[in-house]
Amino acid sequence: MPLPVDAKSRWKRDGDGPLNAPVTLPQVPDGDYRLRARVTTPLGTDSVDAPLPLYAPARVRVLTDRPLYEPGHRVRFRAVALRAKDLSPLDGRPGTWLVKDPTGEVVLEERAPAGPWGVVAGDLPLDRGAPTGDWTVAWTSGGASGEARFTVEPFTLPRLRLEARSPRPFWRANETPEVTGEVAYASGAPLADTDVALEWSHAGAWPPPTEWLKGELPKKARTDAAGRFRVTLPRVPADLRGQSTLSARVEARDATGEPVRGAVSLLLSEDALAVSSVTELEDGLLAGFSNRVYLRATTAAGRVLPGAEVTVTRAWDPKDPGVSAVADEDGVAAFQLDPGPAVNVVVPPLPVRPTPRPPPVSVASSLDLLNEEGGQQPSLADQLALERLLPALHPCARFVSGAQGGVRVALSARVGPSGQVLDVAGTEEGVGSCMAAVLRARGLPSGAERMLVLQFNVREPGLPTLHPTTQAAAGSTGPMDAALAQPALDARSCLPPDLSTPTLLPAVMTWRQARGKRDVALSWLPLSSGDTGLSASVLPCLKERLARLRLPEQQEEPGGDSSIGGSMGVVRFTAQPARPAQPARRISRAQQEWATTFLGYELKVKAKWEGQDVGDTTLVLRPAALPPLRLRATPVLAKAGEAVKVELLRGPGFRGELPRTLELVAGQTRLRAEVDPATRWAHFTLPADFEGWAHVEGVAAQARVYVAPRAKLAVEVSPDKPAYAPGELAHLRVHTVVDGQEGPAAVGLFGVDEMLAQLAPLPGPDALEGLRPAPTVATPAFGVLDGQALAMGRIRGANAAAAALLRVTEVPTLEDVETRVSANATSPFSPDAELTEPFYAVLMELHAQTRKWEETAPKGETLDPAGLARLWAASLTACEQRGEKVTDAFGRRLRLSRLPPDLLSLTDPRAVVVSGTRLPEDVVNWGAWVARESP
């Protein structure tokens, strides 16, 4: 196809550079072309070809028919290519499929152009020995490419299906949550009378009750004859704050042991109504000002309430009538709201949930000295028996005080063949003695005789403590304090575990110790201190634990007197509550993050939907500052050719004059309109063919308008029958609607057994979302309306669109110009090749002229360089007369001084003259002479 040069822009040369001229390329499909230039010069006519790839900037997405394959399967993949400028399909665009295995080796490289609608498909049969792992498939075309990943590994589709759900979308305080579900085979047959295991986790600021974390949440259920199961959870406490989520991993197994897994989430919500806000003032409010506020009201579970009547009142003012508005299609209502003066907003702390204490006794190590290898771990039966014995050892932890934190207790036990503990060696008092007694009483499984070396970690059990206060009437109190240390720890089990305040026991103990004796005589006297709140069984239990006291071994005091001398006195006991499991400062950290007091606006929001009250909730917003100037566009979600009004709103900090005109930039079109001084409005009419983003320029404030693409596509897929028998062929009806009318469209169908979703996540309807560029938002409006929702047309309501536009920080820019392409090529040109043929013709004539001179020249005459130059000139003339070419590649006559060195050497007199007597004895360098004389 010839490309004419513009008549007004002929070929020009920039200085000493090459010639250039602008050439307009025709509208051709994307592909690889050749640019051919035909050149006519004094040297002749020639042509040169340069590769010219013409590819428009494109967006490419690749999909596979499923995410998981086995070796031997066939992988099917498909790509769609759209022009980046206007997102139109690139039909026929050349491209290449590239498939790589997990090692990065290319296993498929195949040229595949896009078909109609910019869609290209391919497939790859996997070898049965294909490597397992993550594979990649990519389609590349002119610098644009898309990539998808899939996994290759052996798998078996699950035979079971498990579904678990919450009967309600959310649960409130004082309600009893439930989980229902069913387990069935893939064929639909129920899996009856099987166990279902649940493993719970929690997410959210509100801490669940400690009992829930200790195992009060149900961990097992059983299916009925229909394969269904139901689980009832504990009642939700009244101190529920905000929203929290309980999640459970659910697992069931059939008779063969094959597992099936699922999950369920329970939403716990303080209020039935959830409200989020967007304002024009950085999501804050201004007192004494008409604030534009957008509220999105949903149920606690997030269900949108289109058309709901939303009422906002000041929470601190019971007489405030409030303002009401109706929500749009996306559940967003717009208000002009004066929140009143800012008040002290108090957010109370979350309830305290102390961290559960770890088990007070655990096995640190165990060895069997009598096993075959010696000093190895005991049998699995003994290890399991020791783990089961730990709850019986927990009471022994009362001998470990909070000051100790934890101790390690070593015991050695000899166990007979019957499992009876024959002997225990270790500490003779306190925690060791207690644990030894438990081992003797319980025993271990029967088997060979063994000798066990055991070590236990023992921690503070979290029991109240008994603090004795001794007063001596005679003698020292030191020996008595030492004698009371272990019995006071033993007596901790007598105190109520829920003791909350320090309590003085209603009795005092008197002691009398005779000189030289270690035994102590005790007696108890009641105190008239009133009701202490302790159970009547506490004091008898204490008297029993403290019945026998012995002073320590005799020691010499500094004065030389024996410490075991006659002494007497009284002891009063105080019961102290247990220490917390963790320091209070750690418990209150979550409270401090939640609890706060600040100056702000507390609003009460109510919603009524379809004639029924949905509920109410509290919305808290902080104060904001009013900018000097704001812009407000109406409507923000416009249509092509529609009128748009832009209003200028001044703030207290505005100085100067309002601009006389505003400019609306709509793509490549710039619209200018005058600002009405009275109303501060500027009116624009959008272009009839415009779509995309428009914004106002000329002032410091910002306002944007979005025009959604005109083309609206809807797809409906329906089978010809509701159910099919195995092996039966199913027929699907695909119906596409374009702009409300039936029309053609590209449709991709991927059929995958939904049981595969248990092994790998399946692609959803948003797999191609990234094809349409989305604006950048600081944070999604109301937490859900992001830039992608705007780009995909998912925002239908005018209020929701206005709120979403307030969060847009940067709009996408389509590539309005094609990419720059440079091509360079040169045709082969060899001056020496053009010189060779005429040179040898002249050289032959030179030899003929020289032979003739040798025959006719006088005797004794020699041929010097000047003479040979004359013969060369005569040879040129003779060749010209015969019509032979005597010019070089540039059209110049062949001169000796222009010849290359290799050809010049052939014209040397010594190479031309045959008889050496015709050459002078004084040899002149031929090349140097030619360079000097330039003949």
Side-chain angles (χ1 to χ4, degrees):
M1 178 184 298
L3 303 178
V5 178
D6 187 359
K8 297 181 180 179
S9 302
R10 290 295 181 181
W11 292 93
K12 298 179 180 179
R13 187 187 303 275
D14 296 334
D16 295 333
L19 292 171
N20 59 78
V23 177
T24 303
L25 297 179
Q27 294 291 336
V28 294
D30 289 359
D32 295 313
Y33 294 86
R34 287 184 303 167
L35 182 64
R36 173 171 294 170
R38 299 183 188 277
V39 184
T40 301
T41 69
L43 301 180
T45 300
D46 201 354
S47 65
V48 60
D49 291 348
L52 185 64
L54 298 179
Y55 289 92
R59 298 180 181 272
V60 179
R61 287 295 182 274
V62 177
L63 293 175
T64 58
D65 61 337
R66 50 195 174 100
L68 184 62
Y69 302 86
E70 279 192 297
H73 284 183
R74 180 177 292 274
V75 183
R76 292 179 173 85
F77 32 83
R78 183 173 296 178
V80 58
L82 302 180
R83 189 185 303 273
K85 178 179 179 180
D86 52 10
L87 301 181
S88 60
L90 291 171
D91 300 351
R93 176 163 172 140
T96 303
W97 284 114
L98 203 67
V99 181
K100 296 182 180 180
D101 66 9
T103 64
E105 181 180 354
V106 177
V107 298
L108 173 68
E109 185 172 4
E110 180 182 55
R111 294 183 64 85
W117 309 97
V119 177
V120 55
D123 58 17
L124 171 67
L126 294 174
D127 186 80
R128 293 189 178 276
T132 60
D134 293 334
W135 291 53
T136 59
V137 53
W139 189 77
T140 304
S141 173
S145 65
E147 183 180 280
R149 294 181 178 272
F150 59 90
T151 303
V152 176
E153 62 182 22
F155 68 90
T156 301
L157 283 177
R159 298 184 303 110
L160 303 175
R161 174 175 53 84
L162 185 150
E163 294 183 2
R165 68 190 70 87
S166 173
R168 297 186 190 177
F170 61 92
W171 304 86
R172 302 187 65 187
N174 298 319
E175 293 181 346
T176 304
E178 293 182 349
V179 173
T180 60
E182 59 181 11
V183 186
Y185 290 97
S187 61
L191 183 60
D193 198 29
T194 187
D195 288 332
V196 179
L198 297 96
E199 182 179 348
W200 294 94
S201 61
H202 165 262
W206 176 78
T210 306
E211 295 76 13
W212 289 11
L213 302 178
K214 286 184 176 181
E216 187 173 317
L217 295 176
K219 296 183 177 181
K220 287 187 177 181
R222 196 162 186 85
T223 60
D224 57 15
R228 298 185 179 92
F229 65 91
R230 180 183 296 270
V231 173
T232 303
L233 278 69
R235 185 180 299 274
V236 179
D239 59 8
L240 175 65
R241 297 292 309 280
Q243 289 190 345
S244 184
T245 303
L246 285 178
S247 301
R249 297 176 58 188
V250 189
E251 180 177 326
R253 297 176 182 268
D254 65 355
T256 65
E258 179 178 346
V260 58
R261 299 176 178 87
V264 64
S265 295
L266 302 177
L267 177 64
L268 310 181
S269 179
E270 179 182 7
D271 299 322
L273 182 69
V275 173
S276 53
S277 66
V278 172
T279 75
E280 293 181 337
L281 305 178
E282 299 180 352
D283 291 345
L285 296 178
L286 193 63
F289 182 75
S290 180
N291 297 265
R292 173 66 65 92
V293 182
Y294 299 96
L295 294 183
R296 184 173 185 264
T298 65
T299 64
R303 181 181 180 183
V304 179
L305 304 175
E309 182 182 354
V310 183
T311 303
V312 180
T313 58
R314 300 169 184 170
W316 50 270
D317 187 1
K319 297 181 180 180
D320 182 18
V323 292
S324 299
V326 177
D328 61 9
E329 295 89 333
D330 294 302
V332 179
F335 296 87
Q336 292 297 138
L337 181 66
D338 180 6
V343 297
N344 286 327
V345 178
V346 179
V347 180
L350 292 171
V352 176
R353 310 287 193 209
T355 303
R357 292 180 179 273
V361 181
S362 60
V363 179
S365 64
S366 59
L367 295 176
D368 184 2
L369 301 182
L370 293 181
N371 60 10
E372 295 180 358
E373 299 182 3
Q376 298 299 316
Q377 288 187 345
S379 64
L380 292 178
D382 282 347
Q383 294 182 44
L384 182 59
L386 287 173
E387 292 293 337
R388 292 176 177 173
L389 188 63
L390 291 179
L393 298 176
H394 289 175
C396 297
R398 66 183 183 273
F399 291 97
V400 177
S401 66
Q404 293 174 289
V407 298
R408 176 162 290 192
V409 178
L411 296 176
S412 300
R414 183 177 179 183
V415 184
S418 63
Q420 181 181 1
V421 178
L422 304 178
D423 191 12
V424 178
T427 55
E428 298 181 356
E429 62 179 9
V431 61
S433 176
C434 176
M435 298 175 72
V438 174
L439 285 175
R440 291 191 184 95
R442 294 299 181 95
L444 295 175
S446 58
E449 185 172 351
R450 55 265 196 204
M451 183 174 293
L452 303 180
V453 179
L454 308 175
Q455 287 192 348
F456 298 91
N457 288 329
V458 187
R459 303 180 181 88
E460 159 67 42
L463 295 175
T465 55
L466 189 67
H467 288 268
T469 302
T470 58
Q471 291 180 306
S476 173
T477 61
M480 189 62 183
D481 290 335
L484 285 171
Q486 284 295 327
L489 292 175
D490 188 18
R492 297 173 67 186
S493 60
C494 300
L495 302 176
D498 57 349
L499 185 67
S500 58
T501 58
T503 304
L504 181 66
L505 264 64
V508 62
M509 183 180 72
T510 64
W511 93 86
R512 177 70 174 93
Q513 176 258 332
R515 180 179 298 273
K517 303 291 184 181
R518 295 180 58 193
D519 292 332
V520 180
L522 304 175
S523 62
W524 293 83
L525 298 176
L527 295 177
S528 58
S529 57
D531 186 14
T532 61
L534 297 177
S535 172
S537 61
V538 171
L539 191 57
C541 178
L542 291 175
K543 291 180 179 180
E544 180 184 356
R545 300 296 173 91
L546 302 175
R548 296 190 57 187
L549 292 181
R550 290 175 62 84
L551 299 184
E553 293 289 344
Q554 182 177 0
Q555 297 179 355
E556 289 295 330
E557 294 184 349
D561 298 334
S562 172
S563 63
I564 306 181
S567 62
M568 64 181 343
V570 297
V571 182
R572 291 177 172 82
F573 295 92
T574 302
Q576 297 285 350
R579 293 186 178 183
Q582 60 181 5
R585 56 184 175 88
R586 295 185 180 178
I587 296 177
S588 62
R589 183 174 299 172
Q591 298 180 15
Q592 294 173 359
E593 293 178 357
W594 180 276
T596 183
T597 301
F598 60 90
L599 197 65
Y601 308 99
E602 189 172 6
L603 307 175
K604 187 173 183 180
V605 183
K606 298 181 180 179
K608 182 180 291 187
W609 187 51
E610 295 182 351
Q612 297 182 353
D613 289 334
V614 179
D616 60 76
T617 187
T618 300
L619 177 66
V620 176
L621 297 176
R622 294 181 180 269
L626 191 64
L629 184 65
R630 291 176 295 145
L631 293 181
R632 181 181 296 164
T634 308
V636 293
L637 198 61
K639 298 180 180 179
E642 187 176 4
V644 175
K645 179 184 70 175
V646 178
E647 182 180 5
L648 287 88
L649 302 173
R650 292 169 293 184
F654 180 78
R655 297 291 184 271
E657 298 292 334
L658 290 174
R660 295 183 179 181
T661 61
L662 291 179
E663 193 173 54
L664 182 69
V665 181
Q668 300 298 322
T669 305
R670 289 181 173 269
L671 307 175
R672 187 179 296 274
E674 293 185 357
V675 178
D676 187 343
T679 61
R680 305 177 314 283
W681 291 350
H683 297 270
F684 301 91
T685 301
L686 295 172
D689 59 347
F690 175 71
E691 62 181 41
W693 296 89
H695 64 278
V696 177
E697 288 186 353
V699 292
Q702 185 65 262
R704 293 187 176 92
V705 177
Y706 180 63
V707 179
R710 294 182 298 276
K712 300 294 183 182
L713 175 64
V715 181
E716 179 184 351
V717 181
S718 59
D720 59 341
K721 295 195 308 184
Y724 299 89
E728 191 174 358
L729 184 63
H731 297 272
L732 299 179
R733 178 179 178 271
V734 181
H735 184 214
T736 57
V737 178
V738 181
D739 289 340
Q741 298 180 356
E742 295 184 357
V747 179
L749 296 177
F750 300 93
V752 180
D753 191 327
E754 68 173 356
M755 303 298 289
L756 189 66
Q758 298 187 33
L759 304 178
L762 302 180
D766 56 350
L768 297 178
E769 270 190 352
L771 283 175
R772 184 177 296 278
T776 303
V777 297
T779 55
F782 313 110
V784 293
L785 302 182
D786 57 3
Q788 195 67 46
L790 275 171
M792 299 299 291
R794 296 176 180 172
I795 300 178
R796 299 168 297 168
N799 296 333
L805 282 177
L806 289 176
R807 295 296 182 89
V808 174
T809 57
E810 184 178 353
V811 298
T813 56
L814 295 176
E815 301 180 49
D816 294 328
V817 296
E818 304 294 346
T819 56
R820 182 180 297 274
V821 178
S822 62
N824 186 19
T826 58
S827 61
F829 174 69
S830 177
D832 294 344
E834 297 289 335
L835 175 66
T836 302
E837 184 177 352
F839 169 77
Y840 279 104
V842 177
L843 183 63
M844 291 178 61
E845 180 63 26
L846 177 63
H847 277 270
Q849 294 279 353
T850 304
R851 300 288 86 72
K852 184 178 179 181
W853 173 84
E854 286 180 320
E855 295 175 357
T856 59
K859 187 177 180 181
E861 184 178 349
T862 59
L863 185 65
D864 57 5
L868 183 61
R870 290 191 295 272
L871 291 177
W872 175 263
S875 300
L876 289 175
T877 303
C879 289
E880 286 178 333
Q881 291 175 355
R882 294 196 298 266
E884 296 179 4
K885 183 179 179 181
V886 294
T887 57
D888 60 9
F890 303 98
R892 300 173 298 182
R893 204 161 184 264
L894 296 180
R895 296 181 58 180
L896 290 173
S897 57
R898 293 197 185 104
L899 293 178
D902 56 338
L903 298 182
L904 180 63
S905 65
L906 298 178
T907 63
D908 193 315
R910 294 184 174 277
V912 175
V913 176
V914 175
S915 175
T917 59
R918 290 292 189 177
L919 294 173
E921 294 184 48
D922 181 30
V923 180
V924 178
N925 186 282
W926 172 245
W929 184 87
V930 171
R932 183 176 66 253
E933 301 297 333
S934 299

